[in-house]
Each structure stands twice: as C-alpha cells, then as structure tokens.
Amino acid sequence: MKNLFCIVSDYDNKKVKPVYAPFITKELNKSEQKKLSELSKKYENYNLKSKPSKWLLSLSKVLLSLFFVAALFFIVDLIKDINDKEFKTILISNLFYFCAAIVGLIGYVICRVLTFHLAKKSKKTSFKDQANQTFNEILDFTQRCLGVPSNCQTMEVLCEQHFIKKGQLKEKGNIFTNVVLSAYTTKTMLCLADLHCVISIPLASIKEIEKKEEPYRFKSWHKTESIKDKKYEEYKIKSKAFVFSAESYYIFKFIHNEEEYSVLIPPYDYEKISTLLNK
C-alpha cells in the first residue's frame, strides 16, 4: 500500500517523483508558475522580515548556556574552597569561569533586548500583515487558476518523504510533513488541491475511513489556535524541540489499476473529510 502523498527524491537520476503524479487532473501552466514564483518570493521576504533574526535567538541560547556552565563551575569551586581560602584568592584562581559567566549573562541580556526591539519594530512596520496579505493573494491566484471552488474545505494530509540512492529506496526520517490542501468534491471525484495542481480520486474507489491508534510525529502546526486550545485537547497533541506529536490519525484507502493507495488525515481534520466523503 502506498501513501498517495509520498514524495520520492531520486538522487541517482536527480528527479522528484510524487506518488500522486498519475492522479493530477489540472496544474498551473508556465506563465502561472512564474507568477506564483514571484508572489512566493515576495511572501518569503515579508515573512523573513516579520520574525526576529534566527541567529540572534540562537546566539542568546548559546550565551545563556555559557553563563550557566561557567557559573556552575565557579560555584562548585567556591563551595569546595570557601573554608580554606579567601574569596579573593578563589576569585583569582577561577577568574576564567567568573569572566565567562559575566560575559554570557551580559551577552544574553543584550541579545534579548535586541530581539525584543526587532520584534517591536517588525510589528510597527506590519511585515506580518503584509506577509499574510501576500499569502492570501497566492491562495486566491492559484485557486482561480486551478478552478478550486470558493466553498472548499481547508484540511491537512500527512506526507512522507523517501529517497533513492545507489538504487536503494529509503525513508527520509520518521516525521510526517503535514501539508495544507483545499478539498472539495465533484459528482465523481474527491479533489485535493495544493498551490500547483489538483489531485483527483474517484469517489467510487474510496473505502471506509479508519482510525489508527498509532503515535507519530509531524513537522508543523498550521492552525491559528494553540495546540493547548480546548478544541484540540482530546487529540493529545504535544510539542517538543519544534516537533509535534499525536496519538492517532485517520486513513482512507482506494484501489487504482490494481494498486492500493492511502491518504492519512490528522485527527483534528477528520470531520472535514468525513463530511466530504459522507462516511
């Protein structure tokens, strides 16, 4: 059984092969792709400006770690020798740790102040609003080009990534990429559209939706509400080190040319696919 939303990167032949390729029924032409590329660059530019510098955040973490480690060594030596030596003598013998702790603490405070200043400046220049506006422009443009109806559902699917190297097919990590799609139905098809194409699955071939109680990890949180919001409590979604995890997902299968395919849906979007498929 193949995950329909599995991307296979063929490093041997320098090609990318999405499993869903045979199911594409409409895609952007060259001029539309060029326009999308221009809008995407504009969006990335605004989005980058709307966020505090990543290197500044990383540097602040390094400096904070430096402070804690150096301070720990200094305090350990201080406690060990406090009864035998004067504080001045201990300070001189551990001057390196003392200076490192001071530099780490002052550097961390400066980085945090600069980060706060940049974030405040970003809000004033409304780069985030411009980024959101550009993203909506991208969505409107691609939906119009692909003929996606305005009453479509916005939902996520769980995408896998595999790669081929030296003739060997391997999984690229064990984390799903959760991709946002526009979903709708015609008389005979379930249509799932991204920003580039429409993927169509015959409704008659789709089996029942099943729930899988299997823990898994995924890369992004796309909802406007926090994972701690009451409406998501039942799904037991957790976040650790910028990666999210959940306890279950939903899957529906279908047959095409005697091959079985599957589509994996996060639990918080089950109602949407259930309504669309009437299952």
Side-chain angles (χ1 to χ4, degrees), residues 27 75 92 97 100 193 225 238 257:
E27 53 190 329
I75 291 168
I92 292 170
Y97 294 131
E225 306 91 346
K238 296 176 184 176
N257 289 342

Side-chain angles (χ1 to χ4, degrees), residues 19 134 165 226:
V19 171
T134 306
K165 198 170 185 179
S226 163

Side-chain angles (χ1 to χ4, degrees), residues 59-74:
L59 180 59
S60 69
K61 290 177 182 178
V62 171
L63 288 167
L64 186 62
S65 298
L66 173 64
F67 165 72
F68 279 121
V69 171
L72 179 64
F73 276 104
F74 179 77

Side-chain angles (χ1 to χ4, degrees), residues 24-252:
I24 294 174
T25 51
K26 191 167 186 177
E27 53 190 329
L28 300 181
N29 58 39
K30 287 185 178 180
S31 64
E32 290 166 343
Q33 286 174 359
K34 186 179 178 182
K35 174 70 173 174
L36 175 60
S37 179
E38 290 170 358
L39 287 171
S40 297
K41 286 177 183 176
K42 184 179 172 184
Y43 168 75
E44 287 299 330
N45 184 41
Y46 285 139
N47 197 40
L48 194 63
K49 289 179 178 178
S50 72
K51 297 176 180 178
S53 176
K54 285 186 178 179
W55 71 264
L56 204 56
L57 290 170
S58 298
L59 180 59
S60 69
K61 290 177 182 178
V62 171
L63 288 167
L64 186 62
S65 298
L66 173 64
F67 165 72
F68 279 121
V69 171
L72 179 64
F73 276 104
F74 179 77
I75 291 168
V76 167
D77 279 354
L78 180 64
I79 293 170
K80 186 172 67 175
D81 299 331
I82 194 69
N83 294 324
D84 304 321
K85 300 177 183 177
E86 292 182 5
F87 178 76
K88 186 178 178 180
T89 307
I90 298 170
L91 180 61
I92 292 170
S93 62
N94 290 280
L95 194 59
F96 173 77
Y97 294 131
F98 180 77
C99 291
I102 295 298
V103 169
L105 182 60
I106 293 172
Y108 171 75
V109 171
I110 291 171
C111 285
R112 295 307 296 174
V113 169
L114 284 172
T115 302
F116 176 76
H117 174 72
L118 289 172
K120 195 173 180 181
K121 186 180 177 182
S122 171
K123 286 180 182 177
K124 283 184 179 178
T125 49
S126 66
F127 286 126
K128 189 172 183 179
D129 291 340
Q130 288 173 312
N132 290 336
Q133 186 179 339
T134 306
F135 180 76
N136 289 332
E137 191 179 343
I138 289 171
L139 203 57
D140 290 342
F141 170 73
T142 55
Q143 286 185 346
R144 188 168 64 252
C145 293
L146 295 171
V148 177
S150 57
N151 63 343
C152 65
Q153 294 273 16
T154 300
M155 56 172 274
E156 297 173 26
V157 297
L158 300 175
C159 177
E160 295 178 58
Q161 287 184 301
H162 295 171
F163 66 94
I164 298 172
K165 198 170 185 179
K166 295 180 181 179
Q168 299 270 327
L169 178 64
K170 298 179 181 179
E171 288 187 20
K172 196 173 184 178
N174 58 349
I175 303 175
F176 287 111
T177 301
N178 47 319
V179 180
V180 180
L181 301 175
S182 299
Y184 61 97
T185 56
T186 64
K187 287 183 179 179
T188 58
M189 295 285 186
L190 168 65
C191 301
L192 303 168
D194 61 11
L195 298 178
H196 301 273
C197 65
V198 178
I199 299 140
S200 300
I201 305 167
L203 287 169
S205 67
I206 298 174
K207 301 177 182 179
E208 291 298 314
I209 305 171
E210 303 173 28
K211 185 177 183 180
K212 293 286 184 180
E213 298 282 356
E214 293 177 0
Y216 66 96
R217 298 188 296 162
F218 58 101
K219 288 184 177 180
S220 308
W221 182 251
H222 299 299
K223 306 298 183 184
T224 53
E225 306 91 346
S226 163
I227 59 171
K228 295 179 181 178
D229 192 279
K230 284 186 177 180
K231 67 192 290 186
Y232 300 115
E233 277 183 355
E234 63 179 292
Y235 308 121
K236 300 177 182 177
I237 299 166
K238 296 176 184 176
S239 173
K240 185 179 180 182
F242 305 105
V243 175
F244 300 87
S245 62
E247 299 295 319
S248 65
Y249 60 87
Y250 287 83
I251 180 172
F252 68 82

Side-chain angles (χ1 to χ4, degrees), residues 245-276:
S245 62
E247 299 295 319
S248 65
Y249 60 87
Y250 287 83
I251 180 172
F252 68 82
K253 304 170 188 175
F254 65 96
I255 305 291
H256 178 75
N257 289 342
E258 298 183 356
E259 271 203 275
E260 189 173 48
Y261 296 85
S262 63
V263 177
L264 281 56
I265 314 289
Y268 46 81
D269 277 343
Y270 164 72
E271 292 297 333
K272 293 180 180 179
I273 191 65
S274 178
T275 301
L276 279 169

